[in-house]
Amino acid sequence: MIFKKKPAALKSTEEMKQLVSDCNLRHIAFIMDGNGRWATRRGLPRETGHSVGARVFKKTVTTCRDWGIPTVTAYAFSTENWKRPEKEVNEIMRLLDSYIKEAREDNEKNRIRYIFLGDKSRLSDDLRQKCEYLEELTKDNRLTLNIALNYGGRDEIVHAVNTLISKGADRVTEDDISRCLYTSASPDPDLIVRPSGEYRLSNFLLWQSAYSELYFTDTLWPDFDEAQLQLAVIDFSNRSRRFGGV
Ligand code: FPP
């Protein structure tokens, strides 16, 4: 479903908190798409789109936290994104590095638990160690922010099955696989939001999205503001979730 309208008036934080609680929105996930197009349309380098996208990501996480959504997941870099020009990959890694530094410094204030989803072995040693340090530093915080980094949904399932095989399993259950996914600390996403007018999951949370509600909008990620987020949550609150029942 495509929404181009803005809500008539922004709801207050209190109203959104109530809505989030009433519709039991426990986990929201974002595919942060459209940064490149946003920049290109303005005659700017694609890297500028990612830089604005990183700012929008920070703001979105804060808003979700203020509304009482306990788990947020964002797709920052896929296993396929290494095919991009080196300059662009380097800029995304630089943005992540700088975000991790801020997250460390703001830990006392934000109290967010950071978990990096994906295969960290392909990251630089420096970035991998910073990710691991942040995960350890924040592991007792209550609100969870999953950042998918060198992440692929198929890769994650293969990784989970191989983990089970290495522990001696010859048959596996759905629960076994769920427990071995990078997201094992989080419930499945209730809502997955994809901006930029693309209608696919692009290898994101393939296992976990079995019963997720999907929300698509034409808005490009750098333009995804609080009004857009409200539209997504309001739309979710009107969905009838049956999980295969009646
Ligand atoms: C997809 O848009 C976006 C990415 C591959 C990178 C997302 C990265 C960030 C928002 C910045 C770093 C993140 C953090 C957590 C600090 P696209 O480039 O595919 O856009 P396009 O489809 O318009 O080309």
Side-chain angles (χ1 to χ4, degrees):
M1 201 178 297
I2 289 285
F3 286 87
K4 290 180 182 161
K5 293 184 308 222
K6 293 218 166 214
L10 274 184
K11 289 185 185 291
S12 68
T13 301
E14 286 311 311
E15 287 172 310
M16 288 309 294
K17 268 170 117 164
Q18 190 60 53
L19 188 66
V20 161
S21 159
D22 291 346
C23 67
N24 204 21
L25 177 52
R26 315 292 299 156
H27 183 177
I28 187 166
F30 299 95
I31 300 178
M32 303 187 286
D33 195 17
N35 297 341
R37 274 165 285 168
W38 183 92
T40 306
R41 282 178 198 172
R42 287 163 177 75
L44 299 167
R46 290 176 56 82
E47 292 74 25
T48 307
H50 295 312
S51 168
V52 177
R55 282 212 296 275
V56 170
F57 160 76
K58 267 186 263 178
K59 175 80 181 62
T60 304
V61 171
T62 305
T63 307
C64 289
R65 191 198 54 195
D66 292 348
W67 294 351
I69 303 173
T71 303
V72 176
T73 298
Y75 205 0
F77 195 85
S78 75
T79 44
E80 290 73 34
N81 286 152
W82 297 105
K83 294 181 212 151
R84 295 185 177 217
E86 197 182 339
K87 180 164 168 256
E88 185 172 339
V89 170
N90 288 344
E91 176 59 8
I92 296 173
M93 295 302 155
R94 192 195 65 75
L95 288 165
L96 280 158
D97 188 279
S98 123
Y99 179 74
I100 289 170
K101 181 168 181 286
E102 270 178 47
R104 232 171 27 220
E105 289 164 2
D106 293 345
N107 179 36
E108 288 306 316
K109 182 172 59 141
N110 288 340
R111 310 303 303 164
I112 289 175
R113 177 181 185 188
Y114 295 87
I115 298 177
F116 292 90
L117 314 177
D119 177 6
K120 296 191 195 78
S121 68
R122 195 163 169 192
L123 305 178
S124 70
D125 286 349
D126 180 56
L127 186 59
R128 184 174 41 72
Q129 282 161 15
K130 286 174 176 167
C131 292
E132 288 168 354
Y133 180 80
L134 187 64
E135 286 179 326
E136 180 61 24
L137 177 73
T138 62
K139 68 178 190 299
D140 295 325
N141 294 343
R142 205 170 49 84
L143 301 171
T144 300
L145 173 55
N146 296 307
I147 301 177
L149 177 54
N150 191 28
Y151 173 88
R154 289 184 176 181
D155 180 69
E156 179 182 36
I157 295 167
V158 170
H159 174 262
V161 172
N162 281 329
T163 303
L164 291 163
I165 291 171
S166 70
K167 288 182 181 159
D170 53 5
R171 287 174 63 81
V172 298
T173 64
E174 290 190 10
D175 281 347
D176 290 335
I177 293 185
S178 294
R179 266 195 301 275
C180 290
L181 297 175
Y182 296 121
T183 52
S184 59
S186 301
D188 287 344
D190 298 301
L191 174 61
I192 299 180
V193 175
R194 180 164 196 161
S196 93
E198 310 286 357
Y199 306 100
R200 54 179 175 268
L201 284 175
S202 297
N203 209 6
F204 185 51
L205 304 180
L206 295 184
W207 180 274
Q208 302 86 336
S209 60
Y211 285 102
S212 301
E213 299 297 325
L214 307 179
Y215 179 87
F216 300 102
T217 168
D218 277 348
T219 303
L220 302 176
W221 178 253
D223 290 326
F224 192 87
D225 58 10
E226 182 174 340
Q228 295 297 325
L229 186 56
Q230 289 203 0
L231 283 173
V233 172
I234 292 166
D235 186 64
F236 171 79
S237 73
N238 291 319
R239 305 272 178 108
S240 160
R241 305 188 76 196
R242 293 184 295 279
F243 299 95
V246 287

